[in-house]
Amino acid sequence: MAHFPLHSAWTVTAVSGPVPDDVRDRRIPATVPGCAHLDLLAAGLIADPFDADNEAAQQWIGDTVWRYETTFDWQDDGSDRHDLVAEGLDTVATIEVNGTVVGHTENQHRSHRFDVGALLVAGANRLTIMFAAPVPEAEARSAAHGPRPHVNHHPYNALRKAAFNFGWDWGVDAATSGVWRPIGIESWSGVRIASVRPLVDLGPVPAEAAGDQAGRVGLLDAHIALEWAAGASGPVYVGVSVGDVVERVEVDAGATEVALALTVPRVEPWWPIGHGTQSLYDVEVVLEPTADGGPGSTTQPWRSRVGFRTVSVDTTPDEHGSPFDLVVNGELIQIRGANWIPDHTFVTEVDRARYRRRVADAVDANMNLLRVWGGGIYESDDFYDACDEAGVLVWQDFLFACAAYAEEDWLAAEVEVEAREAITRLSPHPSLVVWNGNNENIWGYVEWGWRPLLAGRTWGEGYYRELFPALLAELDPTRPYSPASPFSFSDYLHPNDASNGTMHIWDVWNLLDYREYRRHEPRFASEFGFQGPPAWSTLTGVVHDEPLEPCGAEMLVHQKAEDGNLKLERGLRGHLPEPRSIGEWHWATQLNQAAAIRFGIEHFRSLALRNTGAIVWQLNDSWPVVSWAAVDFAEHRKPLWYALRAVYEPRLATFQPSGTGTGLALVLLNDDADGWDGEVLLRRTTLDGAVLATAAVPSSVEARGVARIEVPVGVAAIVDPAREILTATLDGFATAVHAPAEVVDQALDPRPLTAEASAAEDDPSTYLVTVVATSYARDVTLLVDRVDPAASVDRGLVTLLAGERATFRVRARQGLDPQAFLADDVLRHANGLLAGR
């Protein structure tokens, strides 16, 4: 097989639409894979789409018809077939080869293959792809087939195109067009491997293994789809190998499906992080000629990796309702995760290295699951490869979000092809453990007023309740399926019921004080979040209001949530003092975002094992924006990220209301393979460290378990909430601190630290900042990007008791004055917000 990539010498031309004069009919150099926005930017024809209010000025791009063209030299190598293979076209496109139409496409989320052998000529050939304007196309299809409810302003639900691309409450409206995944000519003869589904299982643990998981047998069922060239004769051998284990079968010409079962002795099971190793095994599928002269194949072998493991979701009703317990290799996995959105508005900008940095952000924050949200894309294999290797579980939504979708053939035919391809392509990845039908669509149908608007029209239920489970039963029955998130796993329950299945919690952000998280007792919280701004350098790199203020015109362009900055202001009340400057606003709202999510997750985890999962919204950003993300678009870890790292520690001690005794308990969460026992030292102190009461309490907590300790009366009896705190110290856990009053009501020293900074002697790009607390210092953080936008720091939100010290390691460009990291707007803490009040 020969593969001839078509990734050079492309041009893009605006054909029709509200096109500026300097762009109309101009042949602009283009990059493939890519999109029109990036090509215009590279040519200097538009400004940075993310800067200032350029979003509004560039809406014409999504209203424009674009033509991509390339000329390429080709020579016939004698193969039986020559296919044009487009792995991703965005979105409604007409493809021509040498002036002849070879196909039409209307789905960003699938690949296309066209036999173009009869159209290719020796020497120069022309490939032209005409892309319909995405916004008018969506609007026209919505009008033609009957409008259906959706969030935001464009009818994205009328196109099989990434929903976020039309704008979201955290995303820029930049509807793209272009060749977004590789494209090329593939020449082959005889028969080719069209696809492979390597489905895995584990045999029982042998009796002689005495419970050793490594003694288990790995079971591989390889399902191979074949395509034959016209006139090709058989038979042919199909071989599958995993290491030294090989199975081979002879198949006759024209056979399109082959299944081979392999038994691999003594495999190391694949485990999620924190439960074992991430053992991966190479799988190879080959086609070979038979001894009697079968045609063989010019197709390259198919290669991938698998991890042997089992996975299930237990929703069996119990005395509390129905859980959502994710079980891998027979072990319950307590989920500590985040929702994932596309990591760049222009998705071709996300390369393998950037994927790995984001997955590292998740791992470093003690996460064990990422949920790929349904308004984005089926990500590149680079993402799933990184998760496979890191042991990060993946929950994959089918790509339906916050809208009603037509079930008639004009859309349904594409939906089925897309789903089949996605299920097949992603089947090798052991990290993928859950398929989910949609994001919030069943909830929307029940509660968001859709039914009168639909007036009996289809809305997607057939996909979620019939098509997707049927396709998974056919193509990949090894993975569990949930019809939606949220979902309660019963037709007679509200889909967002706390006691059953998965729950989304958005009343807190939209309406309530974050302490109201305690009103919720979800079995599994698959979405909840609280906003905060990005790093200062990220924000000021795109927002240029004079003066800079929360409600400035450009600031609001980069705040997409409805009344978002007003909700940030409301969220501060009762927790932090009202900001007096934009600098204080930035720090206070970042800090409050972290505090809100820390509060919520500590509560959710304290409900273990009734609650078995929390998936925060969201890990990442797609552009520079005020949002729910923990890592901003410029890859800065916000204060929220440090809060998540702390609250997602496998071992966590947290003070929580008990409802009995003194009304206060210390909850010990131990998501570790080893049990813990020891002494817990409980203390009540003043803010300057004077000890008022102590108690030493022996305790233990089993592996993967939880224990609760009632705080003794003498320790719990707070006399002066503004000047006292409670602490719990125990080996193997971070110190737990209970502040009975909020920052705004505490008598905090506004300058509780002494600090010094220096350049590291062994590394000129490392700076050391050491602080010592003279009294209780809450959430000490270095906003290092204010000194160097590329800087990073190893820790944040460090709370110190009187007399304690902490050293921060900063990575930044060489030659900086270390004292810059001690400036008041860099070295921050909650106490400082009280200065001068």
Side-chain angles (χ1 to χ4, degrees):
M1 181 181 73
H3 183 74
F4 184 74
L6 301 174
H7 294 164
S8 59
W10 284 86
T11 62
V12 60
T13 305
V15 176
S16 63
V19 184
D21 290 341
D22 61 339
V23 176
R24 185 179 299 278
D25 297 326
R26 180 171 176 172
R27 293 169 66 87
I28 303 163
T31 297
V32 169
C35 69
H37 287 77
L38 294 175
D39 296 328
L40 292 165
L41 181 63
L45 295 170
I46 61 170
D48 180 356
F50 300 158
D51 192 53
D53 193 15
N54 291 339
E55 175 187 19
Q58 295 174 9
Q59 287 301 293
W60 64 269
I61 301 173
D63 291 334
T64 296
V65 175
W66 296 97
R67 181 176 63 242
Y68 276 76
E69 292 182 289
T70 187
T71 299
F72 60 95
D73 287 331
W74 177 84
Q75 299 295 327
D76 191 345
D77 63 358
S79 296
D80 297 341
R81 276 274 296 272
H82 306 286
D83 294 346
L84 174 65
V85 181
E87 295 185 26
L89 299 175
D90 178 18
T91 291
V92 177
T94 300
I95 303 102
E96 296 182 4
V97 173
N98 293 328
T100 298
V101 173
V102 298
H104 300 277
T105 75
E106 49 187 64
N107 190 338
Q108 179 184 8
H109 305 306
R110 56 166 292 198
S111 64
H112 295 82
R113 177 181 289 265
F114 308 99
D115 182 354
V116 295
L119 300 176
L120 295 173
V121 298
N125 292 263
R126 171 162 292 186
L127 171 61
T128 303
I129 306 176
M130 188 81 75
F131 290 97
V135 174
E137 185 70 23
E139 291 170 344
R141 290 178 179 228
S142 177
H145 299 287
R148 287 168 167 81
H150 58 85
V151 299
N152 306 317
H153 53 294
H154 296 307
Y156 60 85
N157 50 339
L159 272 186
R160 294 311 297 148
K161 176 175 169 63
F164 89 103
N165 204 219
F166 292 96
W168 213 261
D169 58 3
W170 41 258
V172 62
D173 181 355
T176 53
S177 296
V179 182
W180 77 286
R181 279 184 167 160
I183 189 170
I185 303 294
E186 187 176 291
S187 300
W188 57 280
S189 294
V191 59
R192 73 177 187 90
I193 300 169
S195 67
V196 178
R197 290 177 286 118
L199 307 183
V200 300
D201 199 355
L202 285 169
V205 178
E208 64 273 15
D212 180 10
Q213 290 274 7
R216 299 182 73 171
V217 168
L219 305 175
L220 179 76
D221 288 325
H223 299 263
I224 302 109
L226 302 176
E227 183 181 10
W228 296 76
S233 59
V236 68
Y237 281 127
V238 179
V240 180
S241 62
V242 179
D244 295 333
V245 179
V246 180
E247 290 289 342
R248 194 169 69 153
V249 65
E250 181 179 303
V251 298
D252 293 331
T256 58
E257 296 287 340
V258 181
L260 284 167
L262 280 73
T263 300
V264 185
R266 295 194 61 79
V267 298
E268 292 278 352
W270 184 96
W271 289 96
I273 190 170
H275 286 257
T277 60
Q278 291 74 54
S279 300
L280 297 169
Y281 291 79
D282 292 328
V283 179
E284 183 178 73
V285 179
V286 298
L287 302 179
E288 299 172 338
T290 60
D292 57 357
S297 171
T298 58
T299 300
Q300 295 296 318
W302 180 95
R303 296 185 178 95
S304 189
R305 299 179 301 179
V306 298
F308 291 97
R309 54 103 182 97
T310 64
V311 59
S312 63
V313 170
D314 183 4
T315 60
T316 306
D318 57 24
E319 68 273 22
H320 304 296
S322 296
F324 187 86
D325 289 350
L326 184 59
V327 178
V328 176
N329 300 335
E331 286 193 13
L332 172 67
I333 310 299
Q334 298 176 51
I335 297 302
R336 308 184 302 273
N339 283 270
W340 170 279
I341 65 171
D343 203 44
H344 201 296
T345 296
F346 307 122
V347 293
T348 57
E349 295 295 279
V350 184
D351 59 11
R352 182 178 178 86
R354 187 172 175 109
Y355 275 125
R356 289 180 175 270
R357 292 195 299 273
R358 286 299 77 70
V359 172
D361 285 330
V363 171
D364 291 349
N366 294 306
M367 296 178 186
N368 59 13
L369 182 143
L370 293 172
R371 174 192 170 212
V372 181
W373 168 75
I377 60 174
Y378 301 109
E379 297 288 348
S380 160
D381 281 294
D382 290 335
F383 168 77
Y384 304 94
D385 285 342
C387 292
D388 292 343
E389 294 168 18
V392 174
L393 301 172
V394 176
W395 160 326
Q396 177 69 57
D397 282 10
F398 288 102
L399 301 183
F400 298 80
C402 301
Y405 290 82
E407 297 175 44
E408 287 68 42
D409 191 62
W410 67 271
L411 194 66
E414 285 295 333
V415 167
E416 178 169 351
V417 173
E418 163 196 324
R420 284 182 174 277
E421 181 172 316
I423 292 167
T424 298
R425 177 173 71 88
L426 300 182
S427 63
H429 296 286
S431 57
L432 176 55
V433 292
V434 174
W435 279 100
N436 179 62
N438 70 82
N439 179 76
E440 299 186 342
N441 294 353
I442 294 178
W443 185 17
Y445 179 78
V446 169
E447 194 172 86
W448 297 357
W450 288 5
R451 284 176 288 175
L453 300 175
L454 286 165
R457 290 193 297 275
T458 56
W459 58 277
E461 182 181 23
Y463 299 141
Y464 319 135
R465 305 299 294 272
E466 297 174 11
L467 177 64
F468 296 155
L471 291 178
L472 286 164
E474 173 192 346
L475 300 173
D476 186 1
T478 68
R479 290 176 168 92
Y481 171 73
S482 169
S485 183
F487 192 69
S488 293
F489 295 91
S490 172
D491 291 338
Y492 303 102
L493 295 170
H494 190 285
N496 199 35
D497 178 56
S499 297
N500 295 279
T502 54
M503 185 182 190
H504 291 192
I505 301 172
W506 285 111
D507 58 350
V508 171
W509 159 250
N510 284 308
L511 299 170
L512 305 173
D513 184 274
Y514 70 67
R515 285 170 288 204
E516 294 300 304
Y517 275 126
R518 280 205 178 123
R519 290 195 305 106
H520 295 288
E521 296 188 352
R523 304 304 300 270
F524 192 107
S526 50
E527 266 194 33
F528 61 96
F530 207 92
Q531 272 202 351
W536 181 260
S537 60
T538 304
L539 185 68
T540 57
V542 294
V543 174
H544 316 292
D545 296 317
E546 292 289 348
L548 189 63
E549 58 185 13
C551 291
E554 292 184 10
M555 180 74 82
L556 293 180
V557 170
H558 295 82
Q559 164 59 280
K560 295 300 185 183
E562 182 179 5
D563 298 327
N565 283 359
L566 295 177
K567 292 173 183 176
L568 288 178
E569 180 183 331
R570 173 189 53 76
L572 294 173
R573 293 175 193 150
H575 300 285
L576 298 172
E578 182 178 350
R580 296 163 294 191
S581 66
I582 189 64
E584 279 198 351
W585 174 86
H586 178 263
W587 165 236
T589 51
Q590 280 200 327
L591 178 60
N592 206 50
Q593 177 189 31
I597 296 303
R598 177 169 55 196
F599 183 95
I601 294 178
E602 286 196 6
H603 164 63
F604 299 152
R605 290 194 68 190
S606 77
L607 302 175
L609 293 166
R610 177 174 175 175
N611 171 281
T612 55
I615 308 178
V616 69
W617 186 272
Q618 67 213 60
L619 176 68
N620 56 329
D621 270 333
S622 63
W623 76 308
V625 65
V626 181
S627 83
W628 296 268
V631 180
D632 76 14
F633 178 70
E635 306 187 64
H636 294 293
R637 293 172 170 179
K638 294 161 61 172
L640 170 60
W641 184 90
Y642 296 97
L644 289 170
R645 181 171 67 175
V647 80
Y648 276 161
E649 281 281 0
R651 284 180 169 170
L652 174 70
T654 173
F655 286 100
Q656 295 290 325
S658 68
T660 61
T662 61
L664 189 65
L666 181 72
V667 182
L668 305 182
L669 287 306
N670 181 34
D671 190 12
D672 190 271
D674 296 322
W676 178 92
D677 63 83
E679 186 176 81
V680 179
L681 179 61
L682 297 164
R683 297 195 303 172
R684 177 162 53 89
T685 72
T686 63
L687 301 185
D688 60 6
V691 178
L692 302 175
T694 65
V697 181
S699 185
S700 64
V701 55
E702 63 186 18
R704 312 294 180 192
V706 58
R708 290 168 173 82
I709 302 169
E710 192 76 18
V711 178
V713 174
V715 177
I718 297 287
V719 176
D720 186 351
R723 292 173 172 80
E724 297 177 19
I725 57 173
L726 271 61
T727 63
T729 306
L730 57 164
D731 289 340
F733 289 73
T735 297
V737 179
H738 171 61
E742 297 288 339
V743 169
V744 71
D745 296 319
Q746 281 188 300
L748 296 170
D749 180 353
R751 292 196 172 275
L753 303 173
T754 61
E756 59 183 28
S758 62
E761 294 182 0
D762 59 343
D763 184 353
S765 297
T766 297
Y767 302 83
L768 305 178
V769 177
T770 299
V771 298
V772 179
T774 54
S775 68
Y776 175 53
R778 294 186 65 162
D779 297 315
V780 182
T781 300
L782 289 177
L783 304 181
V784 294
D785 69 291
R786 280 179 168 265
V787 178
D788 174 9
S792 62
V793 62
D794 67 336
R795 59 199 307 197
L797 294 185
V798 178
T799 290
L800 299 174
L801 306 179
E804 292 184 337
R805 70 171 53 227
T807 297
F808 298 77
R809 296 183 65 87
V810 179
R811 295 284 298 172
R813 69 176 185 271
Q814 299 180 23
L816 295 172
D817 179 359
Q819 300 308 304
F821 295 106
L822 303 184
D824 287 345
D825 60 357
V826 178
L827 177 54
R828 287 286 199 177
H829 37 73
N831 304 45
L833 293 170
L834 298 175
R837 297 183 189 265

